[in-house]
C-alpha cells in the first residue's frame, strides 16, 4: 500500500514567475514548483514535495552504504572547539566556521565536517585489530558560513550531507575501503539518475593523499573540470599536472635589454615585438610572511588556489608595496629569478631546465634575455600552479584537454593517518603492540544532489524527475468535472493499493489548464489524465520526459502502471 497524496490537502503553492533573486535553473524551478522556500540567505525550508525528493535520495544512499557493510550513526551538529583546535582546522577553516559560545563562555562550532569527532568515537569504541575494519556513516545537516550563498540549495549555509569514514589497520585495507565507497557512489548516482564524471582532485582542508571528485556536468556548476577526448583522463582543474621535460639546447649568454616603462608582460611583449609566451612572469607572494617568487610563462596566470593547495596549511597572500622597501633585489615590475637573494623560487613545470626566457633584470627599466633555467637560476620547487586552459596537453596522452562546468556531488579521500596521528588512534595489533589506524573520508551532498538533478533533467515546462527519487510515481489529473474527479480518485486508490505512489490533483475550482501546467512543473515521471473520455472509462497516459501520450482503458492503465 503506497501513499496517495491529494493536492487539495497538500501544502504546495506553485508560482507562474521566476523568483526575482534566482540565477540558476534549479533555484527557479524548485521554488516555482513548491519544493523549497527561502528563509534567509543560504537557509531553506524543504516543503512536503521537496522533503520527499530529499528523503528518496537519502534512502538510496542508505541502501548502498548498508550494502557495503557501513553502519549508520548520528553525531551532533553542535561540536566543541577542542578537537578542531587539535587538528588545526579551527584556524584553517577561517570564516567558513560558524562559531559560538555557551552561557559559560565555552567555545563551540556548527560542524562543517566530522573527521575529528568520528576519530574520537572510534578511539573510544575500538580497542583491537579484531574490531577492524569498520565503516561508519551519517546523513546530517552541515554548516558553512559562505560569504556569498547563492544558486538556491546548491550553495547554502546549511545543507544535508552524507559523510562516511573508514578505519583500517593497513594501507591495503584503506585502499579496499576506498574502492568499496567508490563503487557504492557509482551505484548511488546511477540509481538516482545523475550524469556524472569521476575526476582526480586535491584534498584541500580535508587532508590526506588520494582524492577523487564526483562531478555532475551542468551550466550552473561552480567547479571547472577537464577531460580528454582521446582517453579516460579527467580532473578538477586544480589537480591537472604538466610533465616536467628538461630541454637540451644551446643558448647564448644572458643579455641585458633597455626596456623603459615596461613593468607588465603586455608592455614588455609589445616593446620587444615578441609573444608573451617568450617571457617569464615572476609573481611575488608571501607564504607565512616570507616572500616567495612564483615563475610561470608570461602568457599564463598563476592559479592562487592551486598554489595555496600545494603549500597548505601555510597561508599564501600577495605582496604589498611595503614589502619592496629595503629589498634592493626586488625591483617592482622588473623582477628576475637570476638575481633574487634569499627568496624561495617556485616554478611551473613549463619553466623546465634548459628553457630560455626574457625576464626582469632586477633593475628599473631593464630586462634580460637568454635567461636559462638551471644555468642562470635554480628552481627550488616545481609545482603545477598555472590556470589551466582549454587545449592544454592531457597528462596521460598529450591530446588537447576540453573544459566544462560541473556541480560537485561527491568527494572521496584516502586520509591516511593524519587524524589518527592527531588523536592517537591506535589499536592492539596482531603482535600485541599498538598499531596506528588509517582512515578514509567520503562525502555526498544530498541536498545538492536534488539541485544537480533539477539542473540536468529539467526542460522548458519544468522539473522532470527520475522515477527513483520523484515525489510520486504517477501524477493523476482530474480535468475539472465531478465525474472526472471521481474517476481520478478511484484510479488513484487502486494504484496506491497496488504499491504505486500517487499524487492526485483533485483541487476544486482550479482550471484544467492550471492543473496541466502544474503537472509539467512538478515533474512526476508519468501523468495520468482523467479527461474528456472519463465517462467511457478511458484515460490518457503521458510520459513527462518524452511527451508521448496514449489513451487506455482504466484497467489497461492500472495494469501498465503496476507491471
Amino acid at each position: 500500500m503506497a501513499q496517495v497524496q491529494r493536492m487539495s490537502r497538500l501544502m504546495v503553492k506553485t508560482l507562474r514567475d521566476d523568483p526575482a533573486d534566482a540565477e540558476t535553473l534549479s533555484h527557479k524551478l524548485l521554488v516555482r514548483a513548491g519544493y523549497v522556500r527561502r528563509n534567509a540567505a543560504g537557509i531553506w525550508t524543504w516543503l512536503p514535495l521537496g522533503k520527499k525528493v530529499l528523503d528518496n535520495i537519502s534512502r538510496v544512499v542508505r541502501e548502498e552504504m548498508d550494502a557495503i557493510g557501513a553502519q549508520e550513526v548520528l553525531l551532533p551538529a553542535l561540536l566543541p572547539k577542542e578537537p578542531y583546535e587539535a587538528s588545526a582546522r579551527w584556524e584553517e577553516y577561517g570564516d567558513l566556521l560558524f562559531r559560538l559560545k555557551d552561557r559559560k563562555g565555552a567555545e563551540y562550532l556548527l560542524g562543517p565536517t566530522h573527521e575529528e569527532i568520528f576519530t574520537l568515537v572510534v578511539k573510544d569504541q575500538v580497542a583491537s585489530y579484531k574490531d577492524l575494519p569498520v565503516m561508519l556513516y551519517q546523513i546530517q545537516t552541515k554548516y558553512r558560513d559562505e560569504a556569498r550563498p547563492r544558486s538556491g540549495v546548491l550553495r547554502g549555509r546549511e545543507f544535508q550531507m552524507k559523510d562516511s569514514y573508514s578505519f583500517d589497520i593497513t594501507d591495503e585495507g584503506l585502499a579496499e575501503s576506498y574502492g568499496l565507497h567508490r563503487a557504492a557512489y557509482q551505484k548511488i548516482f546511477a540509481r538516482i539518475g545523475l550524469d556524472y564524471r569521476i575526476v582526480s582532485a586535491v584534498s584541500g582542508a580535508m587532508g590526506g593523499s588520494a582524492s577523487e571528485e564526483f562531478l555532475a556536468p551542468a551550466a550552473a556548476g561552480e567547479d571547472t573540470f577537464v577531460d580528454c577526448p582521446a582517453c579516460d583522463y579527467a580532473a578538477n582543474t586544480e589537480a591537472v599536472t604538466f610533465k616536467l621535460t628538461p630541454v637540451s639546447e644551446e643558448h647564448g649568454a644572458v643579455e641585458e635589454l633597455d626596456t623603459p616603462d615596461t613593468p607588465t608582460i603586455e608592455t614588455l611583449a609589445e616593446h620587444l615585438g615578441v609573444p608573451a609566451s617568450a617571457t617569464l612572469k615572476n609573481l611575488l607572494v608571501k607564504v607565512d610572511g616570507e616572500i616567495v617568487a612564483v615563475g610561470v610563462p608570461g602568457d599564463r596566470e598563476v592559479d592562487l588556489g592551486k598554489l595555496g593547495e600545494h603549500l597548505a596549511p601555510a597561508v599564501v597572500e600577495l605582496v604589498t608595496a611595503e614589502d619592496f622597501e629595503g629589498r634592493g633585489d626586488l625591483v617592482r615590475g622588473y623582477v628576475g629569478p637570476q638575481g633574487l637573494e634569499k627568496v624561495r623560487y617556485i616554478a611551473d613545470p613549463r619553466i623546465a631546465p634548459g628553457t630560455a626566457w626574457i625576464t626582469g633584470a632586477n633593475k628599473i627599466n631593464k630586462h634580460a634575455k637568454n635567461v636559462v633555467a638551471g644555468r642562470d637560476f635554480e628552481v627550488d620547487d616545481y609545482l603545477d600552479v598555472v590556470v589551466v586552459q582549454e587545449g592544454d596537453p592531457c597528462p596521460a596522452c598529450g591530446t588537447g584537454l576540453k573544459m566544462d562546468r560541473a556541480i560537485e556531488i561527491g568527494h572521496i579521500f584516502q586520509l591516511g593517518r593524519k587524524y589518527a596521528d592527531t588523536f592517537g588512534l591506535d589499536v592492539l595489533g596482531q603482535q600485541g603492540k599498538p598499531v596506528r589506524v588509517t582512515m578514509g573520508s567520503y562525502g555526498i551532498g544530498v541536498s545538492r544532489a536534488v539541485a544537480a538533478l533539477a539542473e540536468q533533467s529539467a526542460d522548458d515546462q519544468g522539473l522532470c524527475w527520475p522515477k527513483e527519487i520523484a515525489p510520486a510515481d504517477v501524477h493523476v489529473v482530474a480535468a475539472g468535472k465531478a465525474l472526472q474527479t471521481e474517476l481520478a480518485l478511484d484510479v488513484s486508490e487502486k494504484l496506491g493499493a497496488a504499491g504505486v505512489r500517487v499524487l492526485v490533483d483533485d483541487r476544486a475550482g482550479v482550471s484544467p489548464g492550471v492543473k496541466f501546467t502544474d503537472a509539467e512543473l512538478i515533474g512526476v515521471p508519468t501523468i495520468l489524465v482523467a479527461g474528456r473520455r472519463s465517462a467511457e472509462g478511458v484515460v490518457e497516459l503521458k510520459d513527462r520526459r518524452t511527451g508521448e501520450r496514449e489513451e487506455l482503458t482504466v484497467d489497461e492503465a492500472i495494469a501498465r502502471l503496476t507491471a
Side-chain angles (χ1 to χ4, degrees):
M1 184 77 179
Q3 182 185 21
V4 175
Q5 305 170 82
R6 298 177 62 164
M7 288 188 69
S8 60
R9 303 173 185 173
L10 183 68
M11 191 177 73
V12 57
K13 180 181 179 182
T14 58
L15 305 175
R16 300 279 76 85
D17 299 319
D18 294 333
D21 62 337
E23 299 175 354
T24 61
L25 184 62
S26 60
H27 186 176
K28 296 171 183 176
L29 293 178
L30 289 173
V31 172
R32 283 185 52 207
Y35 283 74
V36 298
R37 283 292 183 271
R38 180 182 183 273
N39 295 103
I43 303 173
W44 293 85
T45 292
W46 291 85
L47 299 172
L49 290 177
K51 183 63 164 55
K52 287 184 179 296
V53 173
L54 193 67
D55 287 348
N56 285 334
I57 293 177
S58 297
R59 171 182 51 80
V60 172
V61 170
R62 283 191 172 94
E63 289 171 0
E64 296 300 339
M65 293 306 298
D66 292 346
I68 64 171
Q71 304 171 61
E72 185 172 7
V73 298
L74 182 61
L75 274 59
L78 179 63
L79 304 171
K81 169 186 177 181
E82 288 75 17
Y84 289 81
E85 201 169 39
S87 68
R89 294 207 294 178
W90 179 262
E91 296 298 332
E92 288 174 14
Y93 262 108
D95 292 337
L96 278 176
L97 278 188
F98 278 105
R99 307 164 197 261
L100 63 154
K101 293 182 180 181
D102 68 10
R103 65 184 66 194
K104 298 179 181 179
E107 294 187 88
Y108 293 83
L109 67 146
L110 297 177
T113 184
H114 278 71
E115 280 76 9
E116 290 85 350
I117 311 304
F118 269 90
T119 304
L120 292 172
V121 167
V122 171
K123 182 178 181 180
D124 178 65
Q125 297 291 314
V126 174
S128 167
Y129 75 94
K130 297 178 182 179
D131 302 320
L132 298 177
V134 66
M135 294 181 288
L136 303 174
Y137 77 96
Q138 64 174 348
I139 298 176
Q140 195 222 42
T141 304
K142 306 289 189 183
Y143 300 87
R144 291 178 189 169
D145 191 3
E146 296 284 354
R148 292 175 296 279
R150 58 192 179 276
S151 303
V153 297
L154 265 180
R155 180 169 289 279
R157 305 169 85 187
E158 175 186 277
F159 52 93
Q160 292 288 309
M161 181 177 172
K162 187 285 300 179
D163 53 327
S164 56
Y165 305 85
S166 62
F167 300 84
D168 289 272
I169 290 291
T170 65
D171 293 339
E172 292 76 16
L174 169 58
E176 183 176 348
S177 295
Y178 184 91
L180 287 171
H181 275 84
R182 193 179 193 271
Y185 277 33
Q186 291 174 291
K187 292 179 181 178
I188 289 167
F189 295 132
R191 283 183 60 185
I192 67 176
L194 270 172
D195 175 28
Y196 68 94
R197 305 287 187 274
I198 304 175
V199 305
S200 300
V202 294
S203 299
M206 299 292 288
S209 53
S211 172
E212 291 177 296
E213 288 179 344
F214 290 74
L215 300 179
E222 294 185 332
D223 278 49
T224 303
F225 75 100
V226 299
D227 59 359
C228 179
C231 72
D232 61 357
Y233 178 83
N236 185 300
T237 53
E238 292 185 351
V240 176
T241 59
F242 184 86
K243 185 178 180 181
L244 178 66
T245 306
V247 176
S248 298
E249 292 183 13
E250 292 295 324
H251 299 286
V254 174
E255 181 181 346
E256 191 172 284
L257 305 174
D258 186 27
T259 53
D261 300 320
T262 57
T264 67
I265 293 296
E266 292 76 15
T267 55
L268 175 64
E270 182 179 1
H271 179 82
L272 296 178
V274 298
S277 59
T279 68
L280 175 59
K281 180 185 296 181
N282 300 290
L283 178 70
L284 297 182
V285 298
K286 288 188 292 186
V287 179
D288 282 346
E290 295 293 325
I291 293 178
V292 173
V294 183
V296 299
D299 62 337
R300 305 302 289 259
E301 298 296 329
V302 175
D303 187 328
L304 292 174
K306 290 175 75 171
L307 181 64
E309 294 287 356
H310 282 302
L311 300 179
V315 176
V316 178
E317 54 189 337
L318 294 174
V319 297
T320 63
E322 289 74 22
D323 294 310
F324 287 88
E325 296 177 2
R327 292 293 302 263
D329 59 324
L330 301 181
V331 182
R332 195 170 189 177
Y334 298 90
V335 172
Q338 71 280 10
L340 296 179
E341 300 174 4
K342 298 181 180 179
V343 173
R344 179 183 175 189
Y345 194 74
I346 295 172
D348 187 80
R350 293 164 179 81
I351 317 300
T355 55
W357 305 91
I358 299 170
T359 189
N362 302 299
K363 299 176 184 178
I364 191 71
N365 294 327
K366 299 288 184 180
H367 281 82
K369 73 174 184 178
N370 296 330
V371 178
V372 179
R375 185 192 74 179
D376 304 309
F377 67 93
E378 296 296 330
V379 175
D380 295 304
D381 299 286
Y382 278 105
L383 301 175
D384 288 283
V385 293
V386 301
V387 175
V388 174
Q389 296 177 355
E390 184 145 340
D392 279 350
C394 170
C397 72
T399 303
L401 294 170
K402 294 187 175 297
M403 300 181 71
D404 204 352
R405 304 291 295 174
I407 299 165
E408 182 185 335
I409 50 175
H411 206 153
I412 54 179
F413 306 84
Q414 290 188 32
L415 292 177
R417 295 172 175 82
K418 173 181 177 178
Y419 294 95
D421 287 341
T422 297
F423 297 104
L425 176 55
D426 295 329
V427 296
L428 195 64
Q430 286 182 289
Q431 307 304 319
K433 296 180 181 180
V435 177
R436 184 126 302 177
V437 173
T438 185
M439 292 173 55
S441 174
Y442 319 90
I444 288 179
V446 176
S447 53
R448 176 172 278 209
V450 175
L453 278 165
E455 291 287 340
Q456 287 190 344
S457 62
D459 59 20
D460 292 340
Q461 282 70 49
L463 298 164
C464 192
W465 300 112
K467 183 177 180 179
E468 182 88 49
I469 61 94
D473 298 317
V474 181
H475 188 147
V476 177
V477 177
K481 298 178 181 178
L483 175 64
Q484 295 161 334
T485 300
E486 182 180 343
L487 179 62
L489 291 173
D490 180 60
V491 170
S492 297
E493 291 300 326
K494 289 177 179 177
L495 288 172
V500 178
R501 299 172 300 139
V502 179
L503 175 65
V504 54
D505 194 343
D506 61 335
R507 293 175 293 176
V510 178
S511 71
V514 169
K515 289 184 178 182
F516 295 146
T517 299
D518 282 349
E520 301 281 357
L521 179 62
I522 289 170
V524 172
T526 302
I527 300 171
L528 185 153
V529 180
R532 58 185 176 82
R533 299 187 65 187
S534 292
E536 305 170 48
V538 175
V539 296
E540 180 185 84
L541 278 187
K542 178 181 178 181
D543 185 292
R544 172 65 186 84
R545 184 172 300 280
T546 66
E548 294 178 359
R549 302 170 185 266
E550 184 178 6
E551 286 192 335
L552 301 169
T553 66
V554 168
D555 289 342
E556 289 172 338
I558 291 174
R560 175 81 58 84
L561 295 171
T562 57

